[in-house]
Amino acid sequence: EAQVTQNPRYLITVTGKKLTVTCSQNMNHEYMSWYRQDPGLGLRQIYYSMNVEVTDKGDVPEGYKVSRKEKRNFPLILESPSPNQTSLYFCASGLAGKPQYFGPGTRLLVL
Amino acid sequence: SQQGEEDPQALSIQEGENATMNCSYKTSINNLQWYRQNSGRGLVHLILIRSNEREKHSGRLRVTLDTSKKSSSLLITASRAADTASYFCATDASSGNQFYFGTGTSLTVIP
């Protein structure tokens, strides 16, 4: 089944404790992206990747890191999480100029 | 920010009625997409319209695009209770790599 998977789905952590949210797709898509969704703000793009070893900042990259060592995986890293990074995170993948396929989301609470 | 805006923010209609929601954006685009999100879940792609297209249909969905006004509308005809969801428009930057989502329209269809 074609899908984008994210892990974990729910995460509670404390300020400053490094965490990684994994994202994997099985559709051989070149393009992958991370978004955060906050009430009243819609979805905002954090980082995106056009292919392996190619990543770029989106609208709100501060406090986040990504890597694209393999085509199928695009982990989101929070080196030192802060409470303002409490949000619902979505990973997405797709082909250039085509619709994106979204993962189920990861709810993060930073205390 | 280049984020778009949907209008209205919330819409409540009776089953069988048509629902129209609008999206405005700020910059030139290659294409515009509409997505649907059931509460707290991942987004699902509905329809993509390219900048050189003015109207597109898919089942009960009709999308129009007016690039001179930088606006788009999504019409759902003969609505059903199952159409209850949030609807987002998304535009790409001229590079086609970065995406901007609107703040969403919350649609409630009353049985």
Side-chain angles (χ1 to χ4, degrees):
Chain A
E1 179 189 354
Q3 60 182 348
V4 178
T5 56
Q6 295 179 227
N7 282 293
R9 294 289 313 280
Y10 304 91
L11 180 59
I12 300 174
T13 190
V14 295
T15 299
K17 187 175 181 182
K18 181 180 178 180
L19 66 92
T20 299
V21 184
T22 64
C23 172
S24 183
Q25 51 95 3
N26 61 1
M27 295 168 279
N28 202 34
H29 288 159
E30 288 95 5
Y31 186 89
M32 296 186 76
S33 182
W34 276 102
Y35 298 88
R36 62 177 289 174
Q37 184 176 25
D38 302 288
L41 296 177
L43 277 83
R44 293 178 293 168
Q45 194 170 33
I46 304 171
Y47 269 95
Y48 62 93
S49 169
M50 294 301 296
N51 215 322
V52 175
E53 302 291 1
V54 180
T55 62
D56 270 302
K57 295 178 181 178
D59 235 11
V60 288
E62 295 78 20
Y64 304 95
K65 283 176 57 177
V66 293
S67 69
R68 188 93 181 268
K69 292 184 169 51
E70 303 168 283
K71 197 172 188 178
R72 63 183 292 127
N73 296 323
F74 191 45
L76 179 69
I77 303 156
L78 283 72
E79 293 269 0
S80 184
S82 62
N84 64 13
Q85 292 178 297
T86 291
S87 188
L88 177 57
Y89 291 87
F90 289 102
C91 179
S93 74
L95 298 171
K98 300 286 187 183
Q100 295 181 71
Y101 293 80
F102 281 77
T106 294
R107 288 195 178 273
L108 172 64
L109 173 60
V110 183
L111 301 172
Chain B
S1 170
Q2 300 181 53
Q3 192 173 31
E5 286 187 13
E6 278 93 346
D7 171 58
Q9 287 188 322
L11 179 61
S12 184
I13 59 174
Q14 295 288 331
E15 201 165 33
E17 294 181 336
N18 295 340
T20 299
M21 50 205 88
N22 305 295
C23 166
S24 60
Y25 57 92
K26 298 180 182 177
T27 63
S28 297
I29 61 172
N30 295 309
N31 62 61
L32 183 143
Q33 303 179 45
W34 284 91
Y35 289 82
R36 164 197 169 120
Q37 182 183 36
N38 287 87
S39 181
R41 298 196 170 191
L43 280 73
V44 175
H45 180 261
L46 295 176
I47 197 164
L48 180 152
I49 185 166
R50 304 201 183 280
S51 59
N52 61 355
E53 297 176 310
R54 292 296 167 258
E55 187 170 313
K56 204 160 183 181
H57 297 255
S58 177
R60 294 185 294 114
L61 305 180
R62 173 178 169 252
V63 168
T64 61
L65 178 64
D66 187 335
T67 53
S68 66
K69 295 181 179 177
K70 291 187 170 59
S71 68
S72 173
S73 67
L74 171 68
L75 168 67
I76 304 174
T77 60
S79 63
R80 305 166 182 168
D83 293 329
T84 294
S86 291
Y87 293 82
F88 294 88
C89 67
T91 56
D92 60 347
S94 55
S95 65
N97 301 334
Q98 210 166 338
F99 287 87
Y100 303 96
F101 280 78
T103 49
T105 291
S106 176
L107 172 66
T108 301
V109 180
I110 303 165

